[in-house]
Amino acid sequence: INVFCDVMTKRIFPEFESISLEADKVADAKYQRLESLSIGEYDTWDIGDAAERALEAGLAYYESLEGVRQSLLNLTIVALYHMFEQQMLSFHRRQVLHPRDENTIAKIKMGEMKRLLSDSGLNLESLASWPKIDELRIVANTIKHAEGTSSEQAKDLRLDLFKHPLLGDEESRWAGQTRVYMPLGGKDIYIRVNDLESYRSALVAFWKEFGEAIKQPNR
Protein backbone atom coordinates (compact mmCIF):
# COMPACT_ATOMS: atom_id res chain seq x y z
CA ILE A 1 0.00 0.00 0.00
CA ASN A 2 2.76 2.44 0.93
CA VAL A 3 4.84 1.69 -2.15
CA PHE A 4 1.82 1.99 -4.42
CA CYS A 5 0.83 5.36 -2.94
CA ASP A 6 4.42 6.63 -2.99
CA VAL A 7 4.78 5.79 -6.67
CA MET A 8 1.57 7.59 -7.51
CA THR A 9 2.27 10.71 -5.42
CA LYS A 10 6.01 11.00 -6.03
CA ARG A 11 6.44 9.67 -9.58
CA ILE A 12 3.16 9.82 -11.47
CA PHE A 13 1.26 12.89 -10.30
CA PRO A 14 4.29 15.25 -10.30
CA GLU A 15 4.40 14.76 -14.07
CA PHE A 16 1.27 16.92 -14.27
CA GLU A 17 2.70 19.86 -12.33
CA SER A 18 3.93 21.57 -15.48
CA ILE A 19 0.74 21.36 -17.55
CA SER A 20 0.07 25.10 -17.14
CA LEU A 21 3.42 25.89 -18.70
CA GLU A 22 2.81 23.32 -21.42
CA ALA A 23 -0.57 24.89 -22.16
CA ASP A 24 1.09 28.31 -22.47
CA LYS A 25 3.51 26.86 -25.01
CA VAL A 26 0.64 25.36 -26.99
CA ALA A 27 -1.11 28.74 -27.00
CA ASP A 28 2.08 30.53 -28.08
CA ALA A 29 2.68 28.01 -30.87
CA LYS A 30 -0.90 28.45 -32.07
CA TYR A 31 -0.53 32.22 -32.11
CA GLN A 32 2.78 32.07 -33.96
CA ARG A 33 1.28 29.75 -36.56
CA LEU A 34 -1.68 32.05 -37.15
CA GLU A 35 0.60 35.08 -37.29
CA SER A 36 2.77 33.42 -39.91
CA LEU A 37 -0.12 32.77 -42.27
CA SER A 38 -0.22 35.03 -45.28
CA ILE A 39 -3.19 37.25 -45.93
CA GLY A 40 -4.03 35.08 -48.91
CA GLU A 41 -4.33 31.99 -46.73
CA TYR A 42 -6.07 33.67 -43.84
CA ASP A 43 -7.89 36.68 -45.24
CA THR A 44 -9.78 37.38 -42.04
CA TRP A 45 -6.58 37.92 -40.04
CA ASP A 46 -7.09 39.90 -36.88
CA ILE A 47 -4.65 40.03 -33.98
CA GLY A 48 -7.48 39.85 -31.42
CA ASP A 49 -9.04 36.87 -33.16
CA ALA A 50 -5.66 35.13 -33.31
CA ALA A 51 -5.07 35.71 -29.61
CA GLU A 52 -8.49 34.30 -28.77
CA ARG A 53 -7.91 31.19 -30.90
CA ALA A 54 -4.50 30.69 -29.30
CA LEU A 55 -6.00 31.02 -25.82
CA GLU A 56 -8.66 28.46 -26.68
CA ALA A 57 -6.02 26.01 -27.92
CA GLY A 58 -4.01 26.38 -24.72
CA LEU A 59 -7.09 25.99 -22.56
CA ALA A 60 -8.23 22.88 -24.43
CA TYR A 61 -4.79 21.34 -23.93
CA TYR A 62 -4.80 22.17 -20.21
CA GLU A 63 -8.30 20.81 -19.67
CA SER A 64 -7.51 17.56 -21.46
CA LEU A 65 -4.43 16.85 -19.32
CA GLU A 66 -6.13 18.00 -16.13
CA GLY A 67 -8.93 15.57 -16.96
CA VAL A 68 -6.41 12.74 -17.30
CA ARG A 69 -4.78 13.72 -13.98
CA GLN A 70 -8.15 13.65 -12.22
CA SER A 71 -9.03 10.37 -13.88
CA LEU A 72 -5.80 8.83 -12.58
CA LEU A 73 -6.47 10.14 -9.07
CA ASN A 74 -9.96 8.67 -9.12
CA LEU A 75 -8.67 5.36 -10.49
CA THR A 76 -6.01 5.27 -7.79
CA ILE A 77 -8.70 5.32 -5.13
CA VAL A 78 -10.49 2.39 -6.79
CA ALA A 79 -7.23 0.44 -7.00
CA LEU A 80 -6.35 1.27 -3.40
CA TYR A 81 -9.59 -0.08 -1.99
CA HIS A 82 -9.53 -3.26 -4.06
CA MET A 83 -5.87 -3.83 -3.18
CA PHE A 84 -6.91 -3.71 0.47
CA GLU A 85 -9.92 -5.97 -0.17
CA GLN A 86 -7.72 -8.54 -1.90
CA GLN A 87 -5.25 -8.45 0.99
CA MET A 88 -8.10 -9.05 3.41
CA LEU A 89 -9.53 -11.91 1.39
CA SER A 90 -6.10 -13.46 1.04
CA PHE A 91 -5.80 -13.46 4.82
CA HIS A 92 -9.35 -14.78 5.07
CA ARG A 93 -8.65 -17.72 2.76
CA ARG A 94 -5.35 -18.69 4.35
CA GLN A 95 -5.94 -17.93 8.02
CA VAL A 96 -9.68 -17.83 8.75
CA LEU A 97 -11.31 -20.40 6.49
CA HIS A 98 -10.79 -24.11 6.94
CA PRO A 99 -8.41 -25.40 4.21
CA ARG A 100 -11.25 -27.30 2.59
CA ASP A 101 -13.14 -24.04 2.09
CA GLU A 102 -10.38 -21.68 0.96
CA ASN A 103 -11.29 -22.14 -2.70
CA THR A 104 -15.06 -22.15 -2.20
CA ILE A 105 -16.24 -19.06 -4.08
CA ALA A 106 -19.34 -18.59 -1.92
CA LYS A 107 -17.15 -18.24 1.17
CA ILE A 108 -14.55 -15.85 -0.30
CA LYS A 109 -16.43 -12.71 0.65
CA MET A 110 -15.75 -9.79 2.98
CA GLY A 111 -19.10 -10.36 4.67
CA GLU A 112 -18.20 -13.98 5.43
CA MET A 113 -14.83 -12.92 6.83
CA LYS A 114 -16.44 -10.30 9.07
CA ARG A 115 -18.98 -12.86 10.27
CA LEU A 116 -16.40 -15.49 11.15
CA LEU A 117 -14.13 -12.98 12.87
CA SER A 118 -17.10 -11.65 14.80
CA ASP A 119 -17.95 -15.20 15.91
CA SER A 120 -14.40 -15.37 17.26
CA GLY A 121 -14.83 -12.15 19.21
CA LEU A 122 -13.32 -9.63 16.78
CA ASN A 123 -15.64 -7.03 15.30
CA LEU A 124 -13.79 -5.29 12.47
CA GLU A 125 -16.15 -2.35 12.62
CA SER A 126 -15.04 -1.64 16.19
CA LEU A 127 -11.51 -0.78 15.03
CA ALA A 128 -10.80 2.96 15.01
CA SER A 129 -9.66 2.94 11.38
CA TRP A 130 -12.73 1.14 10.03
CA PRO A 131 -15.04 4.15 9.40
CA LYS A 132 -12.45 5.72 7.07
CA ILE A 133 -11.97 2.42 5.26
CA ASP A 134 -15.72 2.07 4.81
CA GLU A 135 -15.76 5.61 3.39
CA LEU A 136 -13.02 4.52 0.97
CA ARG A 137 -15.18 1.57 -0.09
CA ILE A 138 -18.17 3.79 -0.77
CA VAL A 139 -16.13 6.37 -2.68
CA ALA A 140 -14.40 3.66 -4.74
CA ASN A 141 -17.79 2.16 -5.65
CA THR A 142 -19.07 5.59 -6.64
CA ILE A 143 -16.10 6.09 -8.95
CA LYS A 144 -16.68 2.67 -10.53
CA HIS A 145 -20.43 2.80 -10.93
CA ALA A 146 -21.24 6.55 -11.10
CA GLU A 147 -24.79 7.48 -10.05
CA GLY A 148 -26.43 5.01 -7.70
CA THR A 149 -26.71 3.86 -4.11
CA SER A 150 -23.01 4.36 -3.40
CA SER A 151 -22.99 7.89 -4.78
CA GLU A 152 -25.88 8.82 -2.47
CA GLN A 153 -23.97 7.41 0.49
CA ALA A 154 -20.81 9.21 -0.61
CA LYS A 155 -22.67 12.53 -0.81
CA ASP A 156 -23.77 12.07 2.80
CA LEU A 157 -20.21 11.33 3.89
CA ARG A 158 -18.10 13.58 1.66
CA LEU A 159 -20.15 16.09 -0.28
CA ASP A 160 -16.96 18.11 -0.81
CA LEU A 161 -15.63 15.44 -3.19
CA PHE A 162 -18.32 16.34 -5.71
CA LYS A 163 -17.33 20.00 -5.90
CA HIS A 164 -15.03 21.02 -8.74
CA PRO A 165 -11.69 22.26 -7.30
CA LEU A 166 -11.94 25.54 -9.25
CA LEU A 167 -15.21 26.50 -7.56
CA GLY A 168 -14.68 28.68 -4.52
CA ASP A 169 -16.52 28.30 -1.23
CA GLU A 170 -18.69 31.24 -2.19
CA GLU A 171 -19.95 29.51 -5.36
CA SER A 172 -23.66 29.14 -4.54
CA ARG A 173 -24.55 27.72 -7.96
CA TRP A 174 -22.75 24.51 -7.03
CA ALA A 175 -25.22 23.66 -4.25
CA GLY A 176 -27.08 20.50 -5.14
CA GLN A 177 -25.32 20.02 -8.49
CA THR A 178 -23.96 16.58 -7.67
CA ARG A 179 -25.03 14.39 -10.56
CA VAL A 180 -22.44 11.70 -11.22
CA TYR A 181 -21.95 10.64 -14.82
CA MET A 182 -18.25 9.96 -15.58
CA PRO A 183 -15.99 9.78 -12.52
CA LEU A 184 -13.66 7.40 -14.37
CA GLY A 185 -13.30 10.14 -16.98
CA GLY A 186 -12.10 12.61 -14.35
CA LYS A 187 -15.47 14.30 -13.94
CA ASP A 188 -18.16 14.72 -11.27
CA ILE A 189 -16.07 13.46 -8.34
CA TYR A 190 -12.74 15.06 -7.53
CA ILE A 191 -10.30 13.10 -5.40
CA ARG A 192 -7.32 15.15 -4.19
CA VAL A 193 -3.86 13.91 -3.26
CA ASN A 194 -4.56 14.66 0.40
CA ASP A 195 -7.59 12.33 0.19
CA LEU A 196 -5.33 9.59 -1.12
CA GLU A 197 -2.92 10.19 1.76
CA SER A 198 -5.78 10.10 4.26
CA TYR A 199 -7.00 6.75 2.95
CA ARG A 200 -3.46 5.37 2.88
CA SER A 201 -3.01 6.32 6.55
CA ALA A 202 -6.27 4.59 7.46
CA LEU A 203 -5.28 1.37 5.71
CA VAL A 204 -1.85 1.27 7.32
CA ALA A 205 -3.42 1.99 10.71
CA PHE A 206 -5.95 -0.79 10.13
CA TRP A 207 -3.32 -3.44 9.56
CA LYS A 208 -1.55 -2.41 12.75
CA GLU A 209 -4.80 -2.48 14.73
CA PHE A 210 -5.86 -5.74 13.17
CA GLY A 211 -2.48 -7.32 13.86
CA GLU A 212 -2.72 -6.39 17.53
CA ALA A 213 -6.33 -7.51 17.81
CA ILE A 214 -5.72 -11.04 16.53
CA LYS A 215 -2.87 -11.47 19.04
CA GLN A 216 -5.33 -11.27 21.92
CA PRO A 217 -5.60 -14.57 23.88
CA ASN A 218 -9.33 -14.97 23.19
CA ARG A 219 -8.70 -14.93 19.44
Side-chain angles (χ1 to χ4, degrees):
I1 288 171
N2 276 325
V3 172
F4 175 73
C5 289
D6 281 344
V7 168
M8 299 306 294
T9 59
K10 297 177 181 178
R11 292 175 179 260
I12 304 300
F13 297 131
E15 291 294 319
F16 291 87
E17 292 176 358
S18 64
I19 61 176
S20 291
L21 293 176
E22 293 177 29
D24 289 342
K25 291 179 180 179
V26 168
D28 289 343
K30 178 74 170 181
Y31 183 83
Q32 294 298 327
R33 188 180 71 81
L34 292 174
E35 188 179 42
S36 68
L37 292 174
S38 69
I39 297 299
E41 294 173 310
Y42 189 60
D43 55 14
T44 58
W45 166 260
D46 176 85
I47 190 171
D49 183 49
E52 183 177 353
R53 288 170 179 259
L55 181 62
E56 289 173 351
L59 182 60
Y61 180 86
Y62 178 86
E63 289 179 340
S64 65
L65 288 192
E66 176 58 24
V68 171
R69 187 193 72 86
Q70 187 63 63
S71 179
L72 286 173
L73 263 169
N74 292 354
L75 281 165
T76 298
I77 292 300
V78 176
L80 189 62
Y81 176 71
H82 287 288
M83 182 186 301
F84 165 73
E85 186 178 58
Q86 289 174 16
Q87 289 176 336
M88 287 290 286
L89 290 177
S90 177
F91 177 88
H92 174 57
R93 296 175 74 174
R94 296 179 180 183
Q95 305 296 335
V96 180
L97 289 177
H98 189 281
R100 67 172 176 268
D101 294 325
E102 65 179 276
N103 294 316
T104 302
I105 299 301
K107 293 182 179 293
I108 308 174
K109 299 179 183 295
M110 287 287 286
E112 180 69 2
M113 178 182 185
K114 290 170 70 176
R115 185 187 68 79
L116 291 175
L117 288 174
S118 180
D119 289 346
S120 299
L122 173 56
N123 181 6
L124 290 180
E125 295 182 6
S126 69
L127 300 180
S129 56
W130 190 260
K132 195 66 178 178
I133 292 173
D134 198 49
E135 177 188 308
L136 170 61
R137 175 186 65 81
I138 292 168
V139 172
N141 282 337
T142 300
I143 293 169
K144 284 196 304 180
H145 302 298
E147 200 79 49
T149 302
S150 292
S151 70
E152 293 303 305
Q153 294 175 325
K155 290 170 193 176
D156 289 336
L157 289 171
R158 292 290 308 278
L159 186 61
D160 59 300
L161 294 180
F162 298 85
K163 182 178 182 180
H164 194 286
L166 295 181
L167 291 179
D169 293 336
E170 72 286 353
E171 181 57 71
S172 60
R173 289 177 299 172
W174 170 75
Q177 302 301 312
T178 54
R179 291 172 294 184
V180 185
Y181 291 115
M182 290 187 62
L184 286 175
K187 300 179 180 180
D188 306 319
I189 187 167
Y190 304 97
I191 299 297
R192 283 86 163 174
V193 172
N194 62 336
D195 295 311
L196 173 59
E197 293 291 3
S198 178
Y199 292 132
R200 178 231 289 255
S201 296
L203 293 175
V204 172
F206 169 84
W207 282 115
K208 292 179 179 179
E209 288 183 281
F210 184 64
E212 290 301 316
I214 60 177
K215 291 177 184 178
Q216 299 302 316
N218 63 332
R219 305 286 189 261

